[in-house]
């Protein structure tokens, strides 16, 4: 049986000490979400505040890159937020990767009686820094859920009101001006709003809160790139760019 508290402590320590750990013994998905919750409690006890949920593996590109086949959810905190265009010290991370995201903001609470799509009040281009706490960035579905879906940092471009249509928008990830990944918002479960509907389903199953003001990352449309020194920019057509600079 999984020792939920012990694995949460190990993962928390790995993140804080910037040291990778071995993958845990196989665990059930429900236990993995319990570990994630316990891990977040440790971060809250350190003074961090939850800022919203994030989705993982909502695109084939990501599933194929990591060898998994199911959508997962994690939690963002204020300590993970990095300003648009800011420098970030790569020493904070074990083996960071970076990926383009579409970010949404909730204007009101969502529960079973109302639709998440109707509760949205803004959208922004985003970047997510992921940093598995597991050796060599290798994991199975349950172990990455326990590790809060590799969440390590996120950057938001300017918030803007929701456009009529968000499907089939070109997504590009560039490093020092060179395109390293490209795709389309339609890679995110066919449409980013489908990812949000999937999140609402998961929220019911796993008791995930969806609150006014929450920031939601819908999941990367492309594979992640390794994050080293240099300027990384994500562009989502019509939403504009968002950037972060890795520094050593
Ligand atoms: C897990 C996180 C996946 C996404 O956008 O698909 C994710 C990982 O790849 O380590 O954030
Ligand atoms: Mg992501």
């Amino acid at each position: 049986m999984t020792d939920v508290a012990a694995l949460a402590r190990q993962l928390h320590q790995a993140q804080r000490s910037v040291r990778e750990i071995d993958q845990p013994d196989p665990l059930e998905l429900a236990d993995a979400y319990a570990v994630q919750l316990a891990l977040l409690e440790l971060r809250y006890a350190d003074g961090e505040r939850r800022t919203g949920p994030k989705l993982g593996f909502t695109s084939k590109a990501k599933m194929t890159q990591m060898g998994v086949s199911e959508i997962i959810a994690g939690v963002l905190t204020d300590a993970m937020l990095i300003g648009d265009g800011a420098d970030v010290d790569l020493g904070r991370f074990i083996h960071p990767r970076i990926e383009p995201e579409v970010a949404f903001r909730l204007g009101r609470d969502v529960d079973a009686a109302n639709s998440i799509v109707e509760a949205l009040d803004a959208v922004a281009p985003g970047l997510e820094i992921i940093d598995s706490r597991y050796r060599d960035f290798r994991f199975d579905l349950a172990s990455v859920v326990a590790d809060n879906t590799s969440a390590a940092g996120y950057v938001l471009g300017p918030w803007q009101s929701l456009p009529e249509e968000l499907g089939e928008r070109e997504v590009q990830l560039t490093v020092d001006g060179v395109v390293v990944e490209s795709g389309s918002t339609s890679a995110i479960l066919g449409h980013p709003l489908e990812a949000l509907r999937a999140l609402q389903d998961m929220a019911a199953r796993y008791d995930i809160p969806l609150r006014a003001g929450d920031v939601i990352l819908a999941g990367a449309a492309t594979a992640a790139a390794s994050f080293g020194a240099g300027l990384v920019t994500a562009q989502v057509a019509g939403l504009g760019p968002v950037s972060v600079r890795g520094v050593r």
Side-chain angles (χ1 to χ4, degrees), residues 43-176:
R43 295 186 71 135
Y44 302 148
D46 288 343
E48 290 180 42
R49 195 176 50 80
R50 174 190 170 282
T51 49
K54 59 156 280 192
L55 286 164
F57 306 136
T58 50
S59 71
K60 279 242 159 45
K62 283 289 302 182
M63 286 187 184
T64 306
Q65 182 179 33
M66 303 318 297
V68 297
S69 57
E70 239 182 277
I71 300 170
I72 57 175
V75 176
L76 304 169
T77 76
D78 59 348
M80 300 177 194
L81 181 61
I82 299 159
D84 189 3
D87 288 356
V88 60
D89 177 6
L90 295 164
R92 279 171 56 177
F93 310 110
I94 303 167
H95 37 210
R97 295 180 183 177
I98 191 158
E99 55 192 24
E101 293 274 350
V102 181
F104 293 91
R105 194 175 63 199
L106 291 179
R108 52 184 156 89
D109 292 1
V110 178
D111 55 35
N114 56 30
S115 135
I116 190 166
V117 172
E118 278 156 28
L120 298 175
D121 81 344
V123 64
L127 280 164
E128 183 180 18
I129 299 166
I130 50 174
D131 190 31
S132 176
R133 268 54 68 162
Y134 299 122
R135 197 168 309 287
D136 303 327
F137 220 116
R138 291 168 62 94
F139 45 70
D140 62 15
L141 193 78
S143 54
V144 68
V145 165
D147 185 24
N148 192 24
T149 68
S150 309
Y154 68 104
V155 191
L156 300 172
W159 288 113
Q160 46 214 281
S161 55
L162 259 100
E164 287 286 303
E165 184 44 66
L166 264 176
E168 316 222 353
R169 301 254 185 149
E170 192 183 13
V171 177
Q172 275 194 339
L173 187 71
T174 60
V175 179
D176 291 328

